Amino acid sequence: MVLYRPVGTRELELIRESGYRRFPSRLPEQPIFYPVFHEDYAREIAQGWNVKYNQDHRGYVTRFEIDDEYFGRFEVHRVGKLYHEELWVPAKEPDMSRMYVHRA
């Protein structure tokens, strides 16, 4: 399954440092990792949140795959418009290595 994740510059640097294989660990105040199902929604978040709140005012959209069997362990949430769907993965999830970032 292909999912998307909006990120800021620092998070993108950490992803790059991993060889585009891992997302960085969540901060203590971030209890979930929430990739989204639609690229347009990820773009909206990157433009509306990352650009606005990151120091360098830049946002990026990553595209990655998740194993279908692994995907079934988590809840899907619609948080707005029809295409505003997120996969809620607890930040403590030990097997995040099953997610693979694609180079853009």
Side-chain angles (χ1 to χ4, degrees):
M1 169 169 294
V2 174
L3 295 171
Y4 303 89
R5 173 79 179 138
V7 299
T9 302
R10 180 64 188 134
E11 191 171 6
L12 184 60
E13 289 171 0
L14 293 170
I15 293 167
R16 186 177 298 125
E17 288 173 13
S18 79
Y20 296 92
R21 300 295 294 169
R22 297 187 60 77
F23 286 94
S25 298
R26 307 300 291 155
L27 299 172
E29 65 272 12
Q30 299 170 317
I32 60 171
F33 173 77
Y34 57 94
V36 303
F37 289 85
H38 304 280
E39 187 174 7
D40 288 341
Y41 179 36
R43 198 173 295 121
E44 285 178 20
I45 296 169
Q47 292 170 346
W49 178 264
N50 297 101
V51 168
K52 187 174 183 179
Y53 293 105
N54 285 319
Q55 189 173 20
D56 65 357
H57 303 290
R58 294 182 181 207
Y60 306 88
V61 173
T62 60
R63 177 180 186 260
F64 66 98
E65 292 180 8
I66 182 173
D67 180 86
D68 289 346
E69 182 180 328
Y70 182 63
F71 158 84
R73 298 172 51 193
F74 308 108
E75 296 178 35
V76 176
H77 291 261
R78 182 174 296 146
V79 296
K81 297 178 183 177
L82 185 61
Y83 64 95
H84 287 182
E85 294 178 308
E86 303 173 348
L87 184 66
W88 287 14
V89 179
K92 297 176 188 174
E93 176 59 32
D95 203 9
M96 291 293 288
S97 64
R98 296 183 90 173
M99 296 185 184
Y100 304 101
V101 181
H102 289 236
R103 278 187 209 216

